[in-house]
Each structure stands twice: as C-alpha cells, then as structure tokens.
Amino acid sequence: MKDIMIAPFVCDMRNITEVMYRLGWDERNGGNISYLLDENVVGEYLDLSAVIRTIPLGFDATEISGKIFIVTGTGKYFRNVYADPENNLGIVRIGADGKTAELLWGYKDGGKFTSEFPAHLMSHMSRLSVDPENRVVMHCHPTYTLAMNYVHELDEKKFTHTLWEMCTECIVVFPDGVGVLPWMLCGTNSIGEATAEKMKEFRLVVWGMHGIYGAGKTMDETFGLIETVEKAAQIYMLTAHLPRINTIRDDQMVELAEFFGVKYRRDFLNL
Ligand code: 2HA
Ligand code: ZN
C-alpha cells in the first residue's frame, strides 16, 4: 500500500483549502469541498474492504452508491486541513443501500462529513447527468461575491450579465452563466435539492447572501470558476459607486464567445 499522505487527491485537498483560507473565502468552518475519486486509484492507498464506521447520509443517494469521495469535515476549519488532513478530511464510500456512507479514512477524532454533504452529493448527481467527467463540488464564502449579493439584484440573468461586463475573460470562463438561489436555510436537504436543480444548467450557483457553489472536472477548473467570479465581483464592488464611463458591450461579448468557440447563454445578453 502506498502512503495516503502523498496521494495526489489528499495533496489537492490540502493545497486548495490552504489557498482558499488565505484568500479569506473560508473563515472559521466556512466552506466545504467534495471530490469524487477513482476506486482503482484509492485502492492503491487504502484497503477498500476495511470500513472504519458507517455514517447516516440523511437522504437517498442510491444513484451514486459505491462511489468514493474525499470530503471536508463538519465543523472543521479550512485553516487546519493542511497541517492535519486526517482529522479534517475523510474518505467515504456511498453504501449499497444509498443511505449511509462508509468511512474508509479520516475524521480521526470521530467527526463526519460537512453538513452540506447532501447539497454536494445531489450536485454531483446533477453534474454527472450532464457531464460524466465532473469530479469536484466546492462551496465557499468569497468576499466580493458576497458583498455584491447585498447591492445587486439576485436575478441570474442580471447577475451573470454584470459579471460578464467586469472582466473580458468572464464570458469565456463561465459562458453557461451563474445560477442564483435566494437566501435559504443551509445544511438542509431543501437547499441541496434547489442547488442540484440549478446544477443541471450551471456550474456555478450563488447562494443568496451566503456564498457560492462551483462544480468542475478538476480542482483547478472548479477553483478557477469561483476565482473568476470573485475577481469580477471585486471589480464590480470597486466601481459600482462610481460613474461608469466604459463597459464591455454585448456585441463585444458575442465576439469573444464566438472567437473562443464557447456555447454561451445568448438569452443572458441584451441583444
Ligand atoms: O460548512 O459553509 O454552508 C460551513 C458552511 C455552511
Ligand atoms: Zn457556507
């Protein structure tokens, strides 16, 4: 068996949580990440028949039973993941009954996965139904994106359009736009279901006055999506109170999307 501490998926989780914490997107226990792993790769590091304990999921995940995820722990701080992955992360397999998770590694102090695991798993199911290569679901509280929630209409067309106007690369990076949910109680199956519904259409979903969800094939892609939204939101918050003299026009966004060959939400433009 190889040493799990050098497994690329453990390194990815340690590195990304460290970066996100330093960016100020994950104060205290804010934020959570789940990463769908390849069973054969995990098998190089762990005995897949050795279940440490089982943990109830609280909803039916039969559709993805047998799948293995590395997930941040509930109540755990991103700040601490790098130094102590085995307490702050866990590797779980969705049981055959679809109602429990089998712990294979981690949550060493008796902990369990994030309270947002239902939202994550439901989002994984949605994204996999439209993109079989999706692997990562990431949630965080990026500062400027959150600030923008308080001063900009929470309408997905208008919100996406404003972000697209803020940086030239935006329409190319997230041509599918940003889904927006109103403020909802977090940690519940209802917010999970609402997020998953949006995830059929969007890789990015804003949780009104709370934060953002991102999904992608890799850690880089997912982080890059959120990072680009956050950059655009920062430009917005730095300029929203000032007279606007210049902007990226809709016909220029079309030019960008067509030049880079991305399938974009044309209905989000005002053509
Ligand atoms: O896990 O961010 O939404 C802490 C949160 C809840
Ligand atoms: Zn949150």
Side-chain angles (χ1 to χ4, degrees), residues 27 29-32 116 139-141 186 207 210-213:
E27 71 289 343
N29 63 323
N32 26 73
E116 304 296 358
H139 166 63
C140 57
H141 307 156
C186 53
W207 277 11
H210 178 142
I212 194 165
Y213 263 73

Side-chain angles (χ1 to χ4, degrees), residues 136-149:
V136 179
V137 172
M138 185 182 279
H139 166 63
C140 57
H141 307 156
T143 313
Y144 292 95
T145 306
L146 203 39
M148 185 172 164
N149 276 222

Side-chain angles (χ1 to χ4, degrees), residues 23-25 141-147 163 167 170 174 212 224-236:
L23 285 166
W25 301 353
H141 307 156
T143 313
Y144 292 95
T145 306
L146 203 39
L163 293 172
C167 306
C170 279
F174 53 95
I212 194 165
L225 283 168
I226 295 177
E227 183 182 33
T228 309
V229 166
E230 175 64 353
K231 178 64 177 275
Q234 182 175 10
I235 308 292
Y236 177 76

Side-chain angles (χ1 to χ4, degrees), residues 53-73:
R53 55 193 158 95
T54 57
I55 310 169
L57 278 176
F59 77 105
D60 183 20
T62 313
E63 207 181 306
I64 49 168
S65 68
K67 294 214 183 294
I68 301 175
F69 296 87
I70 185 164
V71 196
T72 50

Side-chain angles (χ1 to χ4, degrees), residues 3-98:
D3 176 7
I4 187 120
M5 288 304 184
I6 57 156
F9 46 87
V10 172
C11 295
D12 269 356
M13 292 291 279
R14 291 173 75 185
N15 292 332
I16 206 79
T17 47
E18 168 81 5
V19 167
M20 293 169 79
Y21 171 69
R22 297 233 174 263
L23 285 166
W25 301 353
D26 298 278
E27 71 289 343
R28 200 174 181 274
N29 63 323
N32 26 73
I33 304 175
S34 59
Y35 184 6
L36 172 57
L37 305 176
D38 179 331
E39 183 182 330
N40 296 321
V41 176
V42 182
E44 295 173 20
Y45 301 90
L46 295 175
D47 172 1
L48 298 179
S49 64
V51 175
I52 301 167
R53 55 193 158 95
T54 57
I55 310 169
L57 278 176
F59 77 105
D60 183 20
T62 313
E63 207 181 306
I64 49 168
S65 68
K67 294 214 183 294
I68 301 175
F69 296 87
I70 185 164
V71 196
T72 50
T74 184
K76 301 299 193 215
Y77 295 16
F78 273 29
R79 184 169 69 81
N80 296 332
V81 174
Y82 194 89
D84 189 5
E86 204 171 351
N87 264 322
N88 294 287
L89 302 174
I91 296 178
V92 294
R93 177 173 54 210
I94 309 305
D97 62 357

